[in-house]
Amino acid sequence: MENSLKVHSFESFGTVDGPGIRYVIFVSGCHLRCKYCQNRDTWDIKSGRDIPISEIVDTILRYKSYIMPDGGVTISGGEPLLQAKDLILLFRELKTEGIHTAIDTSRHACFE
């Protein structure tokens, strides 16, 4: 079984989630339920769609000419660190392509 991320949505031309133009992946799941959260619709991990890491990488590579050289990929959410193991796999693939990566996190994660 291929590794995947539980994804809520994508933004292909983000300009506020890191340096340059960003491909932003909003993952599902967050336990904090912050009062002023901008992404309340990402809280429920069951609302996301499992997307294979290879499919995510292939999609990002189609946008590479738009996000490079000064942009990259940002993982937001929800809480990305709830899916840390698969996130590491995604970032390794992106690093081999020379793509800058960033995580927007509260650092609140429950690891198995």
Side-chain angles (χ1 to χ4, degrees):
M1 185 166 129
E2 185 176 2
N3 292 83
S4 62
L5 284 178
K6 184 74 83 167
V7 176
H8 175 272
S9 57
F10 298 96
E11 182 179 343
S12 60
F13 199 83
T15 58
V16 297
D17 293 293
I21 297 170
R22 313 296 294 180
Y23 188 91
V24 184
I25 301 170
F26 295 92
V27 296
S28 293
C30 185
H31 303 303
L32 292 179
R33 310 282 196 263
C34 298
K35 183 175 183 176
Y36 297 106
C37 179
Q38 296 180 22
N39 301 328
R40 290 174 180 239
D41 53 332
T42 66
W43 288 355
D44 183 8
I45 194 142
K46 295 175 186 168
S47 69
R49 191 168 57 108
D50 284 312
I51 302 178
I53 299 294
S54 61
E55 185 178 324
I56 294 171
V57 171
D58 289 345
T59 302
I60 292 167
L61 291 179
R62 289 192 298 245
Y63 290 90
K64 189 174 180 179
S65 63
Y66 297 100
I67 62 176
M68 297 297 284
D70 299 323
V73 173
T74 298
I75 310 298
S76 190
E79 176 48 62
L81 295 182
L82 292 175
Q83 302 182 63
K85 292 176 186 174
D86 293 318
L87 193 60
I88 290 168
L89 296 173
L90 172 64
F91 277 13
R92 282 185 181 148
E93 292 291 322
L94 296 176
K95 289 297 182 182
T96 64
E97 294 291 335
I99 296 175
H100 179 270
T101 56
I103 302 174
D104 186 2
T105 178
S106 67
R107 298 186 318 180
H108 181 267
C110 300
F111 297 100
E112 298 171 14

Coordinates of all heavy atoms in Angstrom, one line a residue, residues 6-96:
K6 N -3.7 12.7 4.1 CA -5.1 13.0 4.1 C -5.2 14.5 3.9 O -4.9 15.4 4.7 CB -5.7 12.7 5.5 CG -7.1 12.9 5.7 CD -8.0 11.9 5.0 CE -8.1 10.6 5.9 NZ -9.1 9.7 5.4
V7 N -5.7 14.9 2.6 CA -5.6 16.2 2.1 C -7.0 16.8 2.1 O -8.0 16.2 1.7 CB -5.1 16.3 0.7 CG1 -5.1 17.7 0.1 CG2 -3.6 15.8 0.7
H8 N -7.1 18.0 2.6 CA -8.4 18.8 2.6 C -8.5 19.5 1.3 O -9.5 19.4 0.6 CB -8.4 19.8 3.8 CG -9.6 20.7 3.7 ND1 -9.6 21.9 3.0 CD2 -10.9 20.5 4.3 CE1 -10.8 22.4 3.2 NE2 -11.6 21.6 3.9
S9 N -7.4 20.2 0.9 CA -7.5 21.0 -0.4 C -6.1 21.5 -0.8 O -5.1 21.3 0.0 CB -8.4 22.2 -0.2 OG -8.0 23.0 0.9
F10 N -6.0 22.1 -1.9 CA -4.8 22.6 -2.5 C -5.0 24.1 -2.9 O -6.1 24.5 -3.3 CB -4.4 21.9 -3.8 CG -4.1 20.4 -3.6 CD1 -5.1 19.5 -3.8 CD2 -2.9 20.0 -3.2 CE1 -4.9 18.1 -3.6 CE2 -2.6 18.6 -3.0 CZ -3.6 17.7 -3.2
E11 N -3.9 24.8 -2.9 CA -3.9 26.2 -3.4 C -2.7 26.2 -4.3 O -1.5 26.1 -3.9 CB -3.8 27.2 -2.3 CG -3.8 28.6 -2.8 CD -3.7 29.6 -1.7 OE1 -4.0 29.3 -0.5 OE2 -3.4 30.8 -2.0
S12 N -2.9 26.5 -5.6 CA -1.8 26.4 -6.6 C -1.0 27.7 -6.7 O 0.1 27.7 -7.3 CB -2.3 26.0 -7.9 OG -3.3 26.9 -8.4
F13 N -1.4 28.8 -6.2 CA -0.7 30.1 -6.3 C -0.8 30.9 -5.0 O -1.2 32.0 -5.0 CB -1.4 30.9 -7.5 CG -0.5 31.9 -8.1 CD1 0.5 31.6 -9.0 CD2 -0.6 33.3 -7.7 CE1 1.3 32.6 -9.6 CE2 0.2 34.3 -8.2 CZ 1.1 33.9 -9.1
G14 N -0.3 30.3 -4.0 CA -0.3 31.0 -2.7 C 0.8 32.0 -2.6 O 2.0 31.8 -3.0
T15 N 0.5 33.1 -2.0 CA 1.5 34.2 -1.8 C 1.7 34.6 -0.4 O 2.5 35.6 -0.1 CB 1.1 35.4 -2.7 OG1 -0.2 35.9 -2.3 CG2 1.1 35.1 -4.2
V16 N 1.1 34.0 0.6 CA 1.2 34.4 2.0 C 1.7 33.3 2.9 O 1.8 33.5 4.1 CB -0.1 35.0 2.5 CG1 -0.5 36.2 1.8 CG2 -1.2 34.0 2.5
D17 N 2.0 32.1 2.3 CA 2.3 31.0 3.2 C 3.8 30.6 3.0 O 4.2 29.4 3.1 CB 1.5 29.8 2.8 CG 0.0 30.0 3.2 OD1 -0.2 30.1 4.4 OD2 -0.8 30.1 2.3
G18 N 4.7 31.6 2.9 CA 6.1 31.4 2.8 C 6.7 32.2 1.7 O 5.9 33.0 1.0
P19 N 8.0 32.1 1.5 CA 8.6 33.0 0.5 C 8.2 32.6 -1.0 O 8.0 31.5 -1.3 CB 10.1 32.7 0.7 CG 10.2 31.4 1.4 CD 8.9 31.3 2.2
G20 N 8.1 33.6 -1.8 CA 7.7 33.4 -3.2 C 6.3 32.9 -3.4 O 5.5 33.0 -2.6
I21 N 6.2 32.3 -4.6 CA 4.9 31.7 -4.9 C 4.9 30.3 -4.4 O 5.8 29.5 -4.7 CB 4.7 31.8 -6.5 CG1 4.6 33.2 -6.9 CG2 3.4 31.0 -6.9 CD1 4.6 33.4 -8.4
R22 N 3.8 29.9 -3.7 CA 3.8 28.6 -3.0 C 2.7 27.7 -3.6 O 1.6 28.2 -3.9 CB 3.5 28.8 -1.5 CG 4.3 29.8 -0.8 CD 5.8 29.5 -0.8 NE 6.1 28.3 0.0 CZ 7.4 27.9 0.1 NH1 8.4 28.6 -0.4 NH2 7.6 26.8 0.8
Y23 N 2.9 26.5 -3.7 CA 1.9 25.5 -3.8 C 1.6 25.0 -2.4 O 2.4 24.5 -1.7 CB 2.4 24.3 -4.7 CG 1.3 23.3 -5.1 CD1 0.6 23.5 -6.2 CD2 1.0 22.3 -4.3 CE1 -0.4 22.6 -6.6 CE2 -0.1 21.4 -4.6 CZ -0.7 21.6 -5.8 OH -1.8 20.7 -6.1
V24 N 0.3 25.3 -2.0 CA 0.0 25.0 -0.6 C -1.0 23.8 -0.5 O -2.0 23.7 -1.2 CB -0.7 26.3 0.0 CG1 -1.0 26.0 1.5 CG2 0.1 27.5 -0.2
I25 N -0.6 22.9 0.4 CA -1.4 21.7 0.6 C -2.0 21.9 2.0 O -1.3 22.0 3.0 CB -0.6 20.5 0.6 CG1 0.0 20.3 -0.8 CG2 -1.5 19.2 0.9 CD1 1.0 19.2 -0.9
F26 N -3.3 21.9 2.1 CA -4.0 22.0 3.4 C -4.4 20.5 3.8 O -5.2 19.9 3.1 CB -5.3 22.8 3.3 CG -5.0 24.3 3.0 CD1 -4.9 24.8 1.7 CD2 -4.7 25.2 4.1 CE1 -4.6 26.1 1.5 CE2 -4.4 26.5 3.8 CZ -4.3 27.0 2.5
V27 N -3.8 20.0 4.9 CA -4.1 18.7 5.3 C -5.3 18.7 6.3 O -5.6 19.7 6.9 CB -2.9 18.0 5.9 CG1 -1.8 17.8 4.9 CG2 -2.4 18.7 7.1
S28 N -5.9 17.5 6.4 CA -7.1 17.4 7.4 C -6.6 17.0 8.7 O -5.7 16.2 8.9 CB -8.1 16.4 6.8 OG -8.6 16.9 5.6
G29 N -7.3 17.4 9.7 CA -7.1 17.0 11.1 C -6.4 18.0 12.0 O -5.3 18.4 11.7
C30 N -7.1 18.4 13.1 CA -6.4 19.2 14.1 C -7.2 19.1 15.4 O -8.5 19.1 15.4 CB -6.4 20.7 13.7 SG -5.5 21.7 14.9
H31 N -6.5 18.8 16.5 CA -7.1 18.6 17.8 C -7.3 19.9 18.6 O -8.1 19.9 19.5 CB -6.3 17.7 18.6 CG -6.1 16.3 18.0 ND1 -7.1 15.5 17.5 CD2 -4.9 15.7 17.6 CE1 -6.6 14.4 17.0 NE2 -5.3 14.5 17.0
L32 N -6.7 21.0 18.2 CA -6.7 22.2 19.0 C -8.0 23.0 19.0 O -8.4 23.5 20.0 CB -5.5 23.1 18.6 CG -4.1 22.6 18.9 CD1 -3.1 23.6 18.4 CD2 -4.0 22.3 20.4
R33 N -8.6 23.1 17.9 CA -9.9 23.8 17.8 C -9.8 25.3 18.2 O -10.5 25.8 19.1 CB -11.0 23.1 18.5 CG -11.2 21.7 18.3 CD -11.9 21.4 16.9 NE -12.4 20.1 16.8 CZ -11.8 19.2 16.1 NH1 -10.6 19.4 15.6 NH2 -12.4 18.0 15.9
C34 N -8.7 26.0 17.8 CA -8.5 27.3 18.2 C -9.6 28.3 17.9 O -10.2 28.2 16.8 CB -7.2 27.9 17.5 SG -5.7 26.9 18.0
K35 N -10.0 29.1 18.8 CA -11.1 30.0 18.6 C -11.1 30.9 17.4 O -12.1 31.1 16.7 CB -11.2 30.9 19.9 CG -12.4 31.8 19.9 CD -12.5 32.6 21.2 CE -13.7 33.5 21.2 NZ -13.9 34.2 22.5
Y36 N -9.9 31.4 17.0 CA -9.8 32.2 15.8 C -9.1 31.6 14.6 O -8.6 32.2 13.8 CB -9.0 33.5 16.2 CG -9.7 34.3 17.3 CD1 -9.2 34.3 18.6 CD2 -10.8 35.0 17.0 CE1 -9.9 35.0 19.6 CE2 -11.5 35.7 18.0 CZ -11.0 35.7 19.3 OH -11.7 36.4 20.2
C37 N -9.3 30.3 14.5 CA -8.7 29.5 13.4 C -9.3 30.0 12.1 O -10.5 30.1 11.9 CB -9.0 28.0 13.6 SG -8.4 27.0 12.3
Q38 N -8.4 30.2 11.1 CA -8.9 30.5 9.8 C -9.3 29.3 8.9 O -9.9 29.5 7.9 CB -7.7 31.3 9.0 CG -7.3 32.6 9.7 CD -6.2 33.2 8.9 OE1 -6.0 33.0 7.8 NE2 -5.5 34.1 9.6
N39 N -9.0 28.1 9.4 CA -9.2 26.9 8.6 C -10.0 25.9 9.4 O -9.7 24.7 9.4 CB -7.9 26.3 8.2 CG -7.0 27.2 7.4 OD1 -7.5 28.1 6.6 ND2 -5.7 27.1 7.5
R40 N -11.1 26.3 10.0 CA -11.9 25.4 10.8 C -12.4 24.2 10.0 O -12.7 23.1 10.5 CB -13.2 26.2 11.3 CG -12.8 27.1 12.4 CD -14.0 28.0 12.8 NE -13.6 28.9 13.9 CZ -14.1 28.9 15.1 NH1 -15.1 28.1 15.4 NH2 -13.7 29.7 16.0
D41 N -12.6 24.4 8.7 CA -13.1 23.3 7.9 C -12.1 22.2 7.7 O -12.4 21.1 7.2 CB -13.6 23.8 6.5 CG -12.5 24.6 5.8 OD1 -11.7 25.3 6.4 OD2 -12.6 24.6 4.5
T42 N -10.8 22.4 8.2 CA -9.8 21.3 8.1 C -9.7 20.5 9.4 O -8.9 19.6 9.4 CB -8.4 22.0 7.8 OG1 -8.0 22.8 8.9 CG2 -8.4 22.8 6.5
W43 N -10.4 20.8 10.4 CA -10.3 20.2 11.7 C -10.6 18.7 11.7 O -9.9 17.9 12.3 CB -11.2 20.8 12.7 CG -10.8 22.2 13.2 CD1 -9.7 22.9 12.8 CD2 -11.5 23.0 14.0 NE1 -9.7 24.1 13.4 CE2 -10.8 24.2 14.2 CE3 -12.8 22.9 14.7 CZ2 -11.2 25.3 15.0 CZ3 -13.2 23.9 15.5 CH2 -12.4 25.1 15.6
D44 N -11.6 18.2 10.9 CA -12.0 16.8 10.9 C -11.1 16.0 10.0 O -11.2 16.2 8.8 CB -13.5 16.7 10.5 CG -14.0 15.3 10.6 OD1 -13.3 14.4 11.1 OD2 -15.1 15.1 10.1
I45 N -10.4 15.1 10.6 CA -9.5 14.3 9.7 C -10.2 13.4 8.8 O -9.8 13.0 7.7 CB -8.5 13.5 10.6 CG1 -7.4 12.9 9.7 CG2 -9.2 12.4 11.4 CD1 -6.0 12.9 10.3
K46 N -11.5 13.1 9.1 CA -12.3 12.2 8.3 C -12.8 12.9 7.0 O -13.3 12.3 6.1 CB -13.5 11.6 9.1 CG -13.0 10.7 10.2 CD -14.2 10.3 11.0 CE -13.7 9.5 12.2 NZ -14.8 9.3 13.2
S47 N -12.7 14.3 7.0 CA -13.2 15.0 5.9 C -12.3 15.1 4.7 O -12.6 15.5 3.6 CB -13.6 16.5 6.3 OG -12.4 17.2 6.6
G48 N -11.0 14.6 5.0 CA -10.0 14.7 3.9 C -10.1 13.5 3.0 O -10.8 12.6 3.2
R49 N -9.3 13.6 1.9 CA -9.2 12.6 0.9 C -7.8 12.0 0.9 O -6.8 12.8 0.9 CB -9.5 13.2 -0.4 CG -9.7 12.3 -1.5 CD -10.3 13.0 -2.8 NE -9.4 14.1 -3.2 CZ -8.7 14.0 -4.3 NH1 -8.7 13.0 -5.1 NH2 -8.0 15.1 -4.7
D50 N -7.6 10.7 1.0 CA -6.3 10.1 1.0 C -5.7 10.2 -0.4 O -6.3 9.7 -1.4 CB -6.3 8.6 1.4 CG -6.5 8.5 2.9 OD1 -5.8 9.1 3.6 OD2 -7.4 7.7 3.3
I51 N -4.6 10.9 -0.6 CA -4.0 11.1 -1.9 C -2.6 10.5 -1.8 O -1.8 10.9 -0.9 CB -4.0 12.6 -2.3 CG1 -5.4 13.1 -2.3 CG2 -3.3 12.7 -3.7 CD1 -5.5 14.6 -2.7
P52 N -2.2 9.6 -2.7 CA -0.9 9.0 -2.7 C 0.2 10.1 -2.8 O 0.1 11.1 -3.6 CB -0.9 8.1 -3.8 CG -2.3 7.8 -4.1 CD -3.1 9.0 -3.7
I53 N 1.3 9.9 -2.1 CA 2.4 10.8 -2.1 C 2.9 11.0 -3.6 O 3.2 12.1 -4.0 CB 3.6 10.3 -1.3 CG1 3.2 10.2 0.2 CG2 4.8 11.2 -1.4 CD1 2.9 11.5 0.9
S54 N 3.0 9.9 -4.3 CA 3.5 10.0 -5.7 C 2.5 10.9 -6.6 O 3.0 11.7 -7.4 CB 3.6 8.6 -6.4 OG 2.3 8.0 -6.4
E55 N 1.3 10.9 -6.3 CA 0.3 11.7 -7.1 C 0.5 13.2 -6.7 O 0.4 14.1 -7.5 CB -1.1 11.2 -6.8 CG -2.2 12.0 -7.6 CD -3.6 11.5 -7.3 OE1 -3.7 10.3 -7.1 OE2 -4.5 12.3 -7.2
I56 N 0.7 13.4 -5.4 CA 0.9 14.8 -4.9 C 2.2 15.4 -5.6 O 2.2 16.5 -6.1 CB 1.0 14.9 -3.4 CG1 -0.3 14.5 -2.8 CG2 1.5 16.2 -2.9 CD1 -0.3 14.3 -1.3
V57 N 3.3 14.6 -5.6 CA 4.5 15.0 -6.2 C 4.4 15.3 -7.7 O 4.8 16.3 -8.2 CB 5.7 14.0 -6.0 CG1 6.9 14.3 -6.8 CG2 6.0 13.9 -4.5
D58 N 3.7 14.4 -8.4 CA 3.5 14.6 -9.8 C 2.7 15.9 -10.1 O 3.0 16.6 -11.0 CB 2.7 13.4 -10.4 CG 3.5 12.2 -10.5 OD1 4.7 12.2 -10.4 OD2 2.9 11.1 -10.7
T59 N 1.7 16.2 -9.2 CA 0.9 17.4 -9.4 C 1.8 18.6 -9.1 O 1.8 19.6 -9.9 CB -0.3 17.4 -8.4 OG1 -1.1 16.3 -8.7 CG2 -1.1 18.7 -8.6
I60 N 2.6 18.6 -8.1 CA 3.5 19.7 -7.8 C 4.5 20.0 -8.9 O 4.7 21.1 -9.3 CB 4.2 19.5 -6.4 CG1 3.2 19.6 -5.3 CG2 5.3 20.5 -6.2 CD1 3.7 19.1 -4.0
L61 N 5.0 18.9 -9.5 CA 6.0 19.1 -10.5 C 5.4 19.8 -11.8 O 6.1 20.5 -12.5 CB 6.6 17.7 -10.9 CG 7.5 17.1 -9.9 CD1 8.0 15.7 -10.3 CD2 8.6 18.0 -9.5
R62 N 4.1 19.7 -12.0 CA 3.5 20.4 -13.1 C 3.5 21.9 -12.9 O 3.4 22.7 -13.8 CB 2.0 19.9 -13.3 CG 2.0 18.5 -13.9 CD 0.6 18.1 -14.4 NE -0.3 18.2 -13.3 CZ -1.0 17.1 -12.8 NH1 -0.8 15.9 -13.4 NH2 -1.8 17.2 -11.8
Y63 N 3.6 22.3 -11.6 CA 3.6 23.7 -11.2 C 5.1 24.2 -11.0 O 5.2 25.4 -10.6 CB 2.8 24.0 -10.0 CG 1.3 23.8 -10.2 CD1 0.7 22.6 -10.1 CD2 0.5 24.9 -10.6 CE1 -0.7 22.4 -10.3 CE2 -0.8 24.8 -10.8 CZ -1.4 23.5 -10.7 OH -2.8 23.4 -10.9
K64 N 6.0 23.4 -11.1 CA 7.4 23.7 -10.8 C 7.9 25.0 -11.4 O 8.5 25.9 -10.8 CB 8.4 22.6 -11.1 CG 9.8 22.8 -10.5 CD 10.6 21.5 -10.7 CE 12.0 21.8 -10.1 NZ 12.8 20.6 -10.3
S65 N 7.6 25.2 -12.7 CA 8.1 26.4 -13.4 C 7.4 27.7 -12.8 O 8.0 28.8 -13.0 CB 7.8 26.3 -14.9 OG 6.5 26.2 -15.2
Y66 N 6.3 27.6 -12.2 CA 5.6 28.8 -11.6 C 6.2 29.1 -10.2 O 6.2 30.2 -9.8 CB 4.1 28.5 -11.5 CG 3.5 28.4 -12.9 CD1 3.1 27.1 -13.3 CD2 3.2 29.5 -13.7 CE1 2.5 27.0 -14.6 CE2 2.6 29.3 -14.9 CZ 2.3 28.1 -15.3 OH 1.7 27.9 -16.6
I67 N 6.5 28.0 -9.4 CA 6.9 28.3 -8.1 C 8.4 28.4 -7.9 O 8.9 28.9 -6.9 CB 6.4 27.2 -7.1 CG1 7.0 25.8 -7.5 CG2 4.9 27.1 -7.1 CD1 6.6 24.7 -6.5
M68 N 9.2 28.1 -8.9 CA 10.7 28.2 -8.8 C 11.1 29.4 -9.5 O 10.5 29.9 -10.4 CB 11.3 27.0 -9.5 CG 11.0 25.6 -8.8 SD 11.6 25.5 -7.2 CE 13.3 25.2 -7.4
P69 N 12.2 30.0 -9.1 CA 13.2 29.6 -8.1 C 13.0 30.1 -6.7 O 13.6 29.6 -5.8 CB 14.5 30.1 -8.7 CG 14.1 31.5 -9.3 CD 12.7 31.2 -9.8
D70 N 12.1 31.0 -6.5 CA 12.0 31.7 -5.2 C 10.8 31.2 -4.3 O 10.7 31.6 -3.2 CB 11.7 33.2 -5.4 CG 12.9 33.8 -6.2 OD1 14.0 33.4 -5.9 OD2 12.7 34.7 -7.0
G71 N 10.0 30.3 -4.8 CA 8.9 29.8 -4.1 C 9.1 28.4 -3.6 O 10.2 27.9 -3.4
G72 N 8.0 27.6 -3.5 CA 8.1 26.2 -3.1 C 6.7 25.7 -2.7 O 5.7 26.1 -3.2
V73 N 6.8 24.8 -1.7 CA 5.6 24.1 -1.3 C 5.5 24.3 0.2 O 6.4 24.2 1.0 CB 5.7 22.6 -1.6 CG1 4.5 21.8 -0.9 CG2 5.7 22.3 -3.1
T74 N 4.2 24.6 0.7 CA 3.9 24.8 2.1 C 2.8 23.8 2.5 O 1.8 23.7 1.7 CB 3.5 26.2 2.4 OG1 4.5 27.1 2.1 CG2 3.1 26.4 3.9
I75 N 3.0 23.1 3.6 CA 2.0 22.2 4.1 C 1.3 22.9 5.3 O 2.0 23.4 6.2 CB 2.6 20.9 4.6 CG1 3.5 20.2 3.5 CG2 1.4 20.0 5.0 CD1 2.8 19.9 2.2
S76 N 0.0 23.1 5.2 CA -0.7 23.8 6.2 C -1.9 22.9 6.6 O -1.9 21.7 6.3 CB -1.2 25.2 5.7 OG -1.8 26.0 6.7
G77 N -2.8 23.5 7.3 CA -3.9 22.6 7.7 C -5.0 23.3 8.4 O -5.2 24.5 8.2
G78 N -5.5 22.5 9.2 CA -5.2 21.4 10.0 C -3.8 21.4 10.6 O -3.2 22.4 10.6
E79 N -3.4 20.3 11.1 CA -2.1 20.2 11.7 C -1.3 19.1 11.0 O -1.5 17.9 11.1 CB -2.2 19.7 13.2 CG -0.9 19.5 13.9 CD 0.1 20.6 13.7 OE1 -0.1 21.7 14.1 OE2 1.2 20.3 13.0
P80 N -0.3 19.6 10.2 CA 0.5 18.7 9.3 C 1.2 17.6 10.1 O 1.4 16.5 9.6 CB 1.5 19.7 8.6 CG 0.8 21.0 8.6 CD 0.0 21.0 9.9
L81 N 1.7 18.0 11.3 CA 2.5 17.0 12.1 C 1.7 15.8 12.6 O 2.3 14.8 13.0 CB 3.2 17.7 13.3 CG 4.2 18.7 12.9 CD1 4.9 19.3 14.1 CD2 5.2 18.2 11.9
L82 N 0.4 15.8 12.4 CA -0.4 14.6 12.7 C -0.1 13.5 11.7 O -0.4 12.3 11.9 CB -1.9 14.9 12.7 CG -2.4 15.8 13.9 CD1 -3.9 16.1 13.7 CD2 -2.1 15.1 15.2
Q83 N 0.4 13.9 10.5 CA 0.8 13.0 9.5 C 2.3 13.1 9.2 O 2.7 13.0 8.0 CB 0.0 13.4 8.2 CG -1.5 13.3 8.4 CD -2.3 13.7 7.2 OE1 -2.2 12.9 6.2 NE2 -3.0 14.8 7.2
A84 N 3.1 13.2 10.2 CA 4.5 13.4 10.1 C 5.3 12.4 9.3 O 6.1 12.7 8.4 CB 5.2 13.6 11.5
K85 N 4.9 11.1 9.5 CA 5.7 10.1 8.7 C 5.5 10.2 7.2 O 6.5 10.1 6.5 CB 5.2 8.7 9.2 CG 5.5 8.4 10.6 CD 5.0 7.0 11.0 CE 5.2 6.8 12.5 NZ 4.5 5.6 13.0
D86 N 4.3 10.4 6.8 CA 4.1 10.6 5.3 C 4.6 11.9 4.8 O 5.0 12.1 3.7 CB 2.6 10.4 5.0 CG 2.2 8.9 5.3 OD1 2.9 8.0 4.9 OD2 1.1 8.7 5.8
L87 N 4.5 12.9 5.7 CA 5.0 14.3 5.3 C 6.5 14.2 5.1 O 7.0 14.8 4.1 CB 4.7 15.2 6.5 CG 4.9 16.7 6.2 CD1 3.9 17.1 5.0 CD2 4.6 17.5 7.4
I88 N 7.3 13.4 5.9 CA 8.7 13.3 5.6 C 9.0 12.7 4.3 O 9.9 13.1 3.5 CB 9.3 12.4 6.8 CG1 9.3 13.2 8.1 CG2 10.7 12.0 6.4 CD1 9.6 12.4 9.3
L89 N 8.2 11.7 3.9 CA 8.3 11.1 2.6 C 8.1 12.1 1.5 O 8.8 12.1 0.5 CB 7.4 9.9 2.4 CG 7.6 8.7 3.4 CD1 6.5 7.7 3.2 CD2 9.0 8.1 3.1
L90 N 7.1 12.9 1.6 CA 6.8 13.9 0.6 C 7.9 14.9 0.5 O 8.4 15.2 -0.6 CB 5.5 14.6 1.0 CG 5.1 15.9 0.1 CD1 4.9 15.4 -1.4 CD2 3.9 16.6 0.6
F91 N 8.4 15.4 1.6 CA 9.5 16.4 1.6 C 10.8 15.8 1.0 O 11.5 16.5 0.3 CB 9.7 16.9 3.0 CG 8.8 18.0 3.4 CD1 7.6 18.3 2.7 CD2 9.0 18.8 4.5 CE1 6.7 19.3 3.0 CE2 8.2 19.8 4.9 CZ 7.0 20.1 4.1
R92 N 11.0 14.5 1.3 CA 12.2 13.9 0.7 C 12.1 13.9 -0.9 O 13.1 14.2 -1.5 CB 12.4 12.5 1.2 CG 13.0 12.4 2.5 CD 13.3 11.0 2.9 NE 13.8 10.9 4.3 CZ 13.6 10.0 5.1 NH1 12.9 8.9 4.8 NH2 14.1 10.0 6.3
E93 N 11.0 13.6 -1.4 CA 10.8 13.6 -2.8 C 10.9 15.0 -3.4 O 11.6 15.2 -4.4 CB 9.4 13.1 -3.2 CG 9.2 11.6 -2.9 CD 10.0 10.7 -3.8 OE1 10.2 11.1 -5.0 OE2 10.6 9.7 -3.4
L94 N 10.4 16.0 -2.7 CA 10.4 17.4 -3.2 C 11.9 17.9 -3.1 O 12.3 18.7 -4.0 CB 9.5 18.3 -2.4 CG 8.0 18.0 -2.5 CD1 7.2 18.8 -1.6 CD2 7.6 18.1 -4.0
K95 N 12.6 17.5 -2.1 CA 14.0 18.0 -2.0 C 14.8 17.4 -3.1 O 15.8 18.1 -3.6 CB 14.6 17.6 -0.6 CG 14.0 18.4 0.5 CD 14.3 19.8 0.4 CE 13.8 20.6 1.6 NZ 14.0 22.0 1.5
T96 N 14.6 16.2 -3.6 CA 15.3 15.7 -4.7 C 15.1 16.5 -6.0 O 15.9 16.4 -6.9 CB 15.0 14.2 -4.9 OG1 13.6 14.0 -5.3 CG2 15.3 13.3 -3.7

